[in-house]
Amino acid sequence: MPKQGYHHGNLKQALVDAALRLIEAKGPSGFTLSEAAKQAGVTPAAVYRHFAGRDDLIAEAARQGYVIFADVMQDAYDRGQPSALASFEATGRAYLAFARHYPGHYIAMFESGLSVNRTPELALVARRARAVIEQAAEDLSQHIPPDRRPPAAMFSAHVWAMSHGVVELFARNSPGTAVPFAPEELLETGIGIYLRGLGLIAPDT
Amino acid sequence: MPKQGYHHGNLKQALVDAALRLIEAKGPSGFTLSEAAKQAGVTPAAVYRHFAGRDDLIAEAARQGYVIFADVMQDAYDRGQPSALASFEATGRAYLAFARHYPGHYIAMFESGLSVNRTPELALVARRARAVIEQAAEDLSQHIPPDRRPPAAMFSAHVWAMSHGVVELFARNSPGTAVPFAPEELLETGIGIYLRGLGLIAPDT
DNA sequence: TGTACATCAGTGAACGCGCGTTCACTGATGTAC
DNA sequence: TGTACATCAGTGAACGCGCGTTCACTGATGTAC
């Protein structure tokens, strides 16, 4: 590790961490390069030793988020195996857990207006995350009679949409909507009803 | 109408319209008071004749959005009557249609970080919009056996979350996720499966 | 072990910019007589 | 109809601010001899 014991030690990661903290606290537009540099105890100009500029810093934060996200999803999937249903439900829960535990990353990834196609590297890791969700959906779809089986990509999209919606509307305080349900409970019941609609779990459980 | 034929005629609304256009084009943080004034053909200082400041302008744009939103939802509900199911499905479709036809309003309402409790007036009209959705859910819940009937507020939250998720993830181009389904189709099928899960529509339709 | 040198992470000053906001003003419109 | 006046929507100049970015520099670290 050649970057040990230099002037700062590990400024690059310190900047990413500061950026994540700022994004979490003040939203994607509240983040500024200067403030991140300040929090890392460094001059704004120092940032340019490690990043091409402001957008590049956000992109790196998002990239790290996608890596964690993909790992977390994969882990949930694996732990649900060999049951397709358990894997599928676990990925749904993991989605929400990720949003709660890594709000800075989540915002950088999904609310910063950042395009996933910004760099090939970013696109790649985002694709890996999506692949896990779609694999879980694909596995599960095998349990539906082929003639009335919706495309796996479709119901992975449904679950993703509901998860994302729950996060945006109810796991943040933004629109001031105080619904008397915990986000976890909402997502759990929502996906439960949805899966029942697919005939994948018993109708009177 | 005393504000007709003045210097500008109807600057206040012109500013709101400009703000909506900017928000739609460049996101909630891309909007600036100065640019909105410029687009309305007016000096930035003129804005202060009609608004307390930048945030007040956004709040007014959001307020107008909630008014339209509530009207549109109410309309959909009414046209679905007397069928509880038709009303419910219509409000779901209306949600997506609103997001598509009034993207500026939608963003100002749900993505600008604006709190609905900013002013009593805003809170009031937002509550009216929510009341329609919850009424539709309440009607529908009457058709579920009471002993296994989930709270109406819960499944209105489910449908709202899925609608919002579809809008955010698939009705915009942001995350570069090119799913081979139209947002309308995704929402339609998603809600269909969900309602089947509630036992509200036949399992093999 | 000690000295000379190369590297390069971080500095500090400066830049041009657009922002939101203020202020005294101006001049078109509406109103009183 | 015509004149004097009041109103007040919009002007234009100015402000202080923080932003992202640049540049020549400095000085701590690592390396060659």
Side-chain angles (χ1 to χ4, degrees), chain B:
Chain B
M1 47 202 79
K3 294 203 178 183
Q4 205 69 21
Y6 263 69
H7 293 153
H8 182 282
N10 197 359
L11 181 57
K12 184 170 184 176
Q13 192 56 44
L15 286 169
V16 171
D17 293 343
L20 288 168
R21 252 179 284 123
L22 283 169
I23 289 172
E24 177 184 344
K26 311 201 279 177
S29 63
F31 155 76
T32 63
L33 182 147
S34 301
E35 182 68 20
K38 196 175 162 190
Q39 282 210 11
V42 126
T43 287
V47 176
Y48 290 82
R49 293 282 158 203
H50 302 278
F51 299 98
R54 183 201 132 97
D55 288 356
D56 199 40
L57 214 184
I58 299 183
E60 171 61 15
R63 192 197 62 81
Q64 296 190 5
Y66 273 109
V67 170
I68 298 172
F69 183 62
D71 287 348
V72 157
M73 297 300 271
Q74 184 69 54
D75 222 61
Y77 176 88
D78 290 345
R79 265 183 287 122
Q81 288 295 91
S83 160
L85 182 62
S87 277
F88 190 82
E89 290 179 327
T91 58
R93 273 191 290 270
Y95 188 98
L96 186 55
F98 174 78
R100 306 213 102 188
H101 289 112
Y102 302 93
H105 291 96
Y106 191 89
I107 295 171
M109 291 156 68
F110 297 118
E111 299 176 37
S112 72
L114 180 82
S115 169
V116 120
N117 298 318
R118 195 175 182 281
T119 69
E121 206 190 0
L122 190 58
L124 194 76
V125 66
R127 193 132 40 82
R128 178 161 77 89
R130 274 190 57 197
V132 178
I133 306 182
E134 280 169 11
Q135 182 63 54
E138 181 65 40
D139 293 354
L140 195 56
S141 87
Q142 300 305 317
H143 294 76
I144 308 176
D147 55 315
R148 65 189 41 170
R149 181 190 296 168
M154 179 176 264
F155 67 90
S156 87
H158 286 149
V159 172
W160 193 2
M162 191 181 284
S163 305
H164 187 72
V166 166
V167 168
E168 294 293 320
L169 293 175
F170 307 115
R172 278 203 228 307
N173 40 356
S174 35
T177 37
V179 174
F181 306 106
E184 282 80 3
E185 189 190 1
L186 268 181
L187 187 59
E188 196 84 19
T189 54
I191 291 181
I193 293 168
Y194 177 84
L195 292 179
R196 206 173 299 166
L198 281 174
L200 285 164
I201 58 180
D204 45 7
T205 306

Side-chain angles (χ1 to χ4, degrees), chain A residues 8 43 49-50:
Chain A
H8 183 283
T43 288
R49 292 282 159 205
H50 302 279

Side-chain angles (χ1 to χ4, degrees), chain A residues 14-95:
Chain A
L15 286 169
V16 171
D17 294 344
L20 288 168
R21 253 178 283 124
L22 284 168
I23 290 173
E24 176 183 345
K26 309 202 279 177
S29 63
F31 155 76
T32 64
L33 181 146
S34 300
E35 183 67 21
K38 195 174 162 190
Q39 283 211 12
V42 127
T43 288
V47 177
Y48 291 83
R49 292 282 159 205
H50 302 279
F51 300 98
R54 185 200 131 97
D55 289 355
D56 199 40
L57 213 183
I58 298 181
E60 171 61 13
R63 190 196 64 79
Q64 295 190 7
Y66 273 109
V67 170
I68 298 170
F69 183 61
D71 287 348
V72 158
M73 296 301 269
Q74 183 70 54
D75 223 60
Y77 175 87
D78 290 346
R79 265 184 286 123
Q81 288 294 94
S83 159
L85 183 61
S87 277
F88 190 82
E89 291 179 325
T91 59
R93 275 191 290 268
Y95 188 97

